């Protein structure tokens, strides 16, 4: 039985006397998780040189346990060859066209083409993924209430110094290298600047934020 298919796989965990709003709020939260998308030049995630000026779209299909690829312009979707996925959620593309997929139900991250499981330690429901400009991989390790970093050069996994996270979901980097984290159960988005420190963005009234996005070429707040 896989990690995401047994009884209680999607059940909330209690914290401080109340249930966490983790996957019971599937309909809202999976605006990020059921259909996170990534784009790249055509053929990039199939090991072929990209064509200039066009990009396919990748969609993680949470319920069907697949990742369809929509060709640029028109055409039928093609399923990306990724075996054994259980509840895929966040995705990220590296500079060479490799596609990273958060295989949430199996507590792992995989990379295609030539599928490999990324070497991680003790993930529990990984969801959001993000890559830095130099290829460092960041993973929102949601049930462990942390974000972890895997250096591009293959160094050891480290926990990002973010205080007080409670079920982090989506991640994004701005052009300056600051990391934004959707702190789902704390109804906030936090920013970790490159120079260090942490601050909560001044956005009132958030309810279970699932994912940030930063425009290219600009900082956010």
């Amino acid at each position: 039985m896989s990690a995401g298919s047994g009884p209680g796989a999607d059940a909330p965990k209690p914290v401080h006397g109340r249930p966490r709003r983790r996957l019971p709020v599937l309909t809202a939260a999976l605006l990020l998780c059921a259909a996170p998308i990534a784009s790249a030049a055509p053929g990039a995630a199939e090991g072929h040189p990209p064509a200039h000026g066009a990009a396919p779209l990748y969609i993680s299909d949470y319920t069907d346990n697949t990742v369809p690829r929509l060709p640029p312009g028109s055409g039928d979707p093609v399923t990306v060859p990724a075996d054994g996925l259980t509840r895929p959620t966040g995705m990220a593309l590296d500079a060479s066209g490799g596609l990273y997929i958060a295989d949430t139900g199996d507590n792992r991250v995989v990379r295609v083409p030539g599928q490999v499981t990324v070497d991680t330690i003790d993930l529990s429901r990984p969801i959001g993924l993000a890559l830095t400009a130099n290829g460092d991989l960041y993973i929102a390790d949601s049930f462990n209430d942390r974000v972890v970093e895997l250096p591009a050069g293959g160094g050891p996994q480290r926990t990002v110094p973010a205080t007080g996270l409670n079920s982090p979901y989506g991640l994004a980097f701005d052009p300056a290298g600051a990391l934004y984290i959707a702190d789902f159960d704390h109804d906030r988005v936090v920013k970790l600047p490159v120079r260090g420190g942490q601050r909560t963005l001044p956005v009132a009234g958030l309810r279970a934020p699932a994912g940030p996005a930063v425009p290219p070429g600009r900082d956010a707040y």
Side-chain angles (χ1 to χ4, degrees):
M1 181 178 294
S2 69
S5 59
D10 287 345
K13 298 197 300 185
V15 59
H16 304 308
R18 67 178 178 85
R20 289 193 176 187
R21 294 168 297 158
R22 294 196 188 263
L23 298 180
V25 290
L26 228 41
T27 303
L30 294 181
L31 291 175
L32 167 73
C33 303
I37 58 175
S39 61
E46 298 169 0
H48 304 301
H52 179 69
L57 185 69
Y58 297 89
I59 304 171
S60 59
D61 192 340
Y62 181 88
T63 300
D64 283 342
N65 299 318
T66 59
V67 175
R69 173 185 178 274
L70 303 181
S74 63
D76 295 329
V78 176
T79 299
V80 172
D83 296 329
L85 298 180
T86 303
R87 303 294 188 251
T89 56
M91 296 186 295
L93 281 158
D94 65 22
S96 65
L99 179 65
Y100 291 85
I101 306 167
D103 187 9
T104 302
D106 287 325
N107 300 316
R108 64 175 184 164
V109 175
V110 301
R111 184 185 186 276
V112 293
Q115 182 172 336
V116 297
T117 297
V118 177
D119 188 12
T120 57
I121 301 171
D122 296 331
L123 295 183
S124 182
R125 299 301 189 268
I127 294 182
L129 303 179
L131 286 161
T132 64
N134 66 356
D136 298 333
L137 177 65
Y138 284 68
I139 305 169
D141 189 11
S142 67
F143 271 26
N144 284 326
D145 301 321
R146 65 178 183 172
V147 175
V148 300
E149 176 197 1
L150 298 174
Q157 173 180 307
R158 76 175 187 97
T159 299
V160 173
T163 303
L165 297 181
N166 194 349
S167 197
Y169 271 46
L171 306 174
F173 283 98
D174 68 20
L179 175 64
Y180 298 81
I181 306 169
D183 192 6
F184 185 82
D185 269 354
H186 278 159
D187 302 321
R188 64 176 184 165
V189 175
V190 299
K191 177 181 180 179
L192 304 181
V194 176
R195 64 183 178 275
Q198 174 179 324
R199 70 185 185 94
T200 299
L201 298 190
V203 184
L206 292 181
R207 291 281 294 168
V214 180
R218 297 186 62 185
D219 295 346
Y221 292 95

